[in-house]
């Protein structure tokens, strides 16, 4: 069978393997692309070539002997370097953890390995998921394959770059205020932050216990559904993991969206200072959804001021709690941006933290109220195309907080997906938000839209 085209999807690889394609050949194809593009894009911190080839050989033997474990068996993946893999370093892209050898797999790693996937390596991030794109760190910062002088989002930067550049069809990231959805939005990918508690975070280096989510970066919505089918489920060893039934995410994926109710949060976009190109792309996306049979009405979300006050008070306080000992004893080993942002949490009082948690409950109920009248909320995931790296706000307190952050505080599932391109040829993106644990609804609507619009099929110039 001929080689898959660069930038192949999980679904395409799965179908190819079912028709006799070699997992070993697919793995070698990905490793060759990594070798060719890494000198420019810096997506990886560690490439595990020998391990990957051995795993691919094993997968090939099992499949040929009639023991295929499932649709992802034999397909490559990579991990943001916050997830533990037994015997490998987990550095969080920081000097503080250069010698941090993991003794066991994270639950995410365990589930992907059990599905028979092939690990290609550990991916670049912003330091401890909190720094910035120009921090001076022990490894280079990843670069956007659509334009290397443009921001690739944070903090799951290497994860997005590796998928967008066709190095790997699935990468895992973490999302505390948008760190899966933002890189996906800036690189024309689908970025899924599932419901809080849907994917275990055991073995993932924390930033904020109450806001951290593990999430996926994929080329397509169907790929996101395939990945979550393996990753979702209760883990009693993670205190935040939810003992909730896992849906069959593929069963209703292609049912169409006739009769679904979409709540368009246009006022929320305006309050978030969404630019004209992005707003036009969102309006057009809503028109496409309407033409596919969905009903659309505008809805009012809680104000950004209240949402941001809640989200960032919690994130600052909990981020400082995680790092306070190292900040006292090894502050100079952090990058400047990371250090300054983490240290802001020292100024959050106990009273402010408690009030933020109380507000969180109120905001969650308010978003739930909106979702009683609609099946999905649609809004922007970014305000405009990716800015130049040199123009990124790296101050301790951002002038504008990410549009994605509020849904970390409320815990609702949220998925960014491509909605077009700017005049400069840079990706634009929208965001679907659903009821708790109803990721299947996001997949159903997102799949119908992407198949019609086809923005996801575009590849970067690399």
């Amino acid at each position: 069978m001929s080689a898959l085209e660069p930038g192949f999807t999980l679904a395409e690889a799965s179908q190819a393997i079912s028709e006799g394609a070699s997992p070993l050949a697919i793995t070698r194809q990905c490793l060759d692309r990594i070798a060719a593009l890494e000198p420019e894009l810096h997506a990886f911190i560690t490439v595990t070539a020998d391990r990957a080839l051995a795993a691919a050989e094993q997968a090939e033997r099992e499949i040929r002997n009639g023991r295929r474990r499932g649709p992802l068996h034999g397909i490559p993946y990579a991990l943001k370097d916050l997830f533990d893999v037994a015997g490998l370093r987990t550095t969080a892209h920081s000097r503080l953890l250069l010698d941090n050898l993991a003794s066991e797999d994270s639950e995410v790693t365990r589930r992907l390995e059990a599905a028979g996937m092939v690990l290609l390596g550990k991916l670049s991030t912003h330091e401890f998921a909190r720094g910035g794109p120009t921090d001076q760190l022990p490894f280079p910062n990843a670069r956007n394959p659509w334009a290397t002088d443009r921001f690739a989002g944070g903090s799951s930067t290497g994860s997005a770059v590796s998928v967008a550049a066709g190095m790997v069809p699935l990468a895992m990231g973490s999302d505390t205020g948008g760190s899966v959805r933002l890189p996906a939005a800036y690189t024309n990918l689908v970025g899924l932050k599932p419901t809080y508690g849907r994917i275990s975070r055991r073995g993932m280096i924390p930033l904020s216990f109450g806001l951290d989510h593990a999430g996926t970066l994929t080329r397509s919505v169907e790929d996101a559904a395939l990945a979550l089918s393996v990753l979702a489920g209760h883990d009693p060893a993670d205190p935040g993991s939810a003992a909730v039934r896992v849906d069959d995410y593929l069963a209703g994926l292609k049912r169409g969206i006739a009769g679904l109710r979409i709540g368009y949060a246009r006022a929320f976009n305006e309050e978030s200072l969404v630019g004209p190109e992005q707003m036009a792309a969102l309006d057009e996306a809503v028109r496409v959804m309407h033409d596919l049979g969905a009903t659309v009405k505008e809805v009012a979300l809680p104000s950004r001021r209240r949402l941001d006050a809640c989200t960032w008070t919690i994130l600052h306080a909990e981020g400082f709690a995680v790092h306070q000992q190292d900040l006292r004893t090894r502050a100079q080993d952090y990058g400047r941006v990371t250090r300054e942002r983490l240290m802001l949490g020292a100024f959050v009082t106990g009273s402010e933290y408690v009030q933020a948690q109380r507000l969180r409950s109120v905001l969650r109920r308010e978003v739930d109220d909106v979702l009683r009248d609609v099946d999905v909320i649609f809004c922007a995931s970014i305000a405009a195309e990716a800015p130049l790296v040199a123009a990124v706000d790296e101050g301790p307190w951002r002038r504008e907080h990410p549009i994605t952050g509020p849904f970390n505080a409320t815990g609702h599932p949220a998925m960014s997906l491509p909605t077009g391109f700017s005049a400069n040829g840079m990706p634009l993106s929208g965001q679907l938000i659903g009821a708790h644990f109803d990721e299947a609804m996001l997949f159903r609507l997102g799949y119908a839209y992407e198949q019609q619009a086809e923005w996801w099929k575009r590849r970067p110039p690399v």
Side-chain angles (χ1 to χ4, degrees):
M1 183 172 180
S2 60
L4 290 160
E5 291 294 320
F8 62 84
T9 67
L10 286 177
E12 289 167 348
S14 183
Q15 180 64 28
I17 289 172
S18 72
E19 295 172 356
S22 161
L24 186 57
I26 292 172
T27 297
R28 284 180 173 144
Q29 178 181 340
C30 289
L31 289 171
D32 288 346
R33 192 158 177 86
I34 292 168
L37 298 180
E38 257 307 282
E40 181 179 10
L41 298 182
H42 310 307
F44 281 80
I45 287 176
T46 303
V47 178
T48 55
D50 291 343
R51 173 192 172 118
L53 292 171
E57 283 185 306
Q58 178 183 340
E60 192 157 312
R61 285 194 303 271
E62 291 176 350
I63 292 168
R64 285 180 177 172
N65 289 328
R67 293 185 285 119
R68 192 178 186 192
R69 303 185 199 178
L72 300 184
H73 197 179
I75 303 177
Y77 77 101
L79 295 166
K80 183 177 184 176
D81 201 17
L82 296 180
F83 293 92
D84 284 343
V85 178
L88 298 182
R89 290 190 305 175
T90 306
T91 72
H93 211 134
S94 176
R95 295 181 188 86
L96 281 83
L97 296 181
L98 290 178
D99 300 318
N100 178 40
L101 198 67
S103 60
E104 61 183 42
D105 288 343
S106 70
E107 179 63 8
V108 160
T109 307
R110 188 195 69 76
R111 285 175 177 260
L112 295 175
E113 294 286 310
M117 297 198 77
V118 176
L119 178 66
L120 298 192
K122 309 290 287 297
L123 297 160
S124 170
T125 175
H126 291 172
E127 185 180 26
F128 289 112
R130 197 69 184 100
T134 65
D135 253 344
Q136 296 302 304
L137 301 171
F139 313 102
N141 290 293
R143 302 164 111 185
N144 194 325
W146 289 92
T148 55
D149 61 345
R150 296 276 178 166
F151 189 37
S155 63
S156 303
T157 313
S159 301
V161 172
S162 67
V163 177
M167 299 176 180
V168 66
L170 167 66
M172 293 301 303
S174 65
D175 191 311
T176 308
S179 292
V180 163
R181 289 161 291 156
L182 292 171
Y186 285 141
T187 59
N188 204 48
L189 298 179
V190 174
L192 173 68
K193 179 202 79 66
T195 308
Y196 182 81
R198 179 59 101 185
I199 299 178
S200 171
R201 302 163 305 170
R202 179 166 57 87
M204 184 182 90
I205 292 176
L207 173 60
S208 168
F209 307 110
L211 302 177
D212 288 345
H213 299 63
T216 60
L217 292 107
T218 59
R219 179 78 64 189
S220 72
V221 171
E222 183 176 11
D223 282 6
L226 281 165
L228 191 62
S229 297
V230 168
L231 293 161
H234 182 230
D235 176 11
D238 174 4
S241 182
V244 177
R245 181 180 64 85
V246 176
D247 295 327
D248 181 345
Y249 298 118
L250 300 174
L253 182 69
K254 302 177 183 180
R255 285 174 54 195
I257 60 173
L260 292 187
R261 303 163 300 165
I262 298 170
Y264 186 25
R266 201 173 198 281
F268 180 83
N269 296 338
E270 293 170 351
E271 186 184 5
S272 301
L273 304 180
V274 169
E277 283 187 314
Q278 173 73 312
M279 190 70 86
L282 298 170
D283 289 345
E284 174 62 15
V286 166
R287 185 197 66 77
V288 171
M289 295 174 196
H290 179 268
D291 288 350
L292 290 170
T295 60
V296 179
K297 72 172 186 177
E298 292 196 17
V299 294
L301 292 175
S303 74
R304 279 294 306 276
R305 182 177 181 183
R306 293 169 69 222
L307 288 162
D308 286 346
C310 172
T311 306
W312 299 98
T313 299
I314 294 170
L315 194 153
H316 281 295
E318 294 187 350
F320 179 74
V322 170
H323 288 274
Q324 60 180 322
Q325 185 58 38
D326 284 332
L327 286 169
R328 289 187 175 113
T329 60
R330 301 184 60 185
Q332 73 283 356
D333 290 333
Y334 289 89
R336 176 193 64 80
V337 179
T338 311
R339 179 175 61 249
E340 291 179 351
R341 287 180 175 170
L342 289 172
M343 290 182 74
L344 277 184
F347 300 98
V348 179
T349 67
S351 173
E352 289 165 342
Y353 179 72
V354 169
Q355 291 287 59
Q357 293 288 6
R358 293 176 65 194
L359 177 57
R360 182 182 194 177
S361 297
V362 172
L363 295 170
R364 184 185 297 117
R365 288 196 300 271
E366 291 180 4
V367 176
D368 284 340
D369 288 342
V370 175
L371 285 162
R372 287 191 179 91
D373 294 327
V374 297
D375 297 301
V376 174
I377 297 167
F378 182 62
C379 66
S381 52
I382 50 175
E385 66 179 18
L388 294 167
V389 171
V392 172
D393 179 3
E394 292 191 320
W397 182 260
R398 292 180 171 123
R399 293 184 295 272
E400 299 294 337
H401 291 298
I403 299 171
T404 47
F407 306 106
N408 292 83
T410 67
H412 292 87
M415 182 174 71
S416 60
L417 73 168
T419 55
F421 287 82
S422 70
N424 291 323
M426 297 302 294
L428 301 172
S429 176
Q431 181 176 201
L432 298 172
I433 298 96
H436 289 106
F437 302 104
D438 195 9
E439 289 84 3
M441 182 61 72
L442 302 188
F443 295 148
R444 180 181 168 188
L445 198 151
Y447 179 84
Y449 168 74
E450 76 171 10
Q451 295 301 306
Q452 182 68 24
E454 296 193 329
W455 299 115
W456 66 281
K457 293 185 177 181
R458 293 203 189 181
R459 302 292 190 264
V462 297

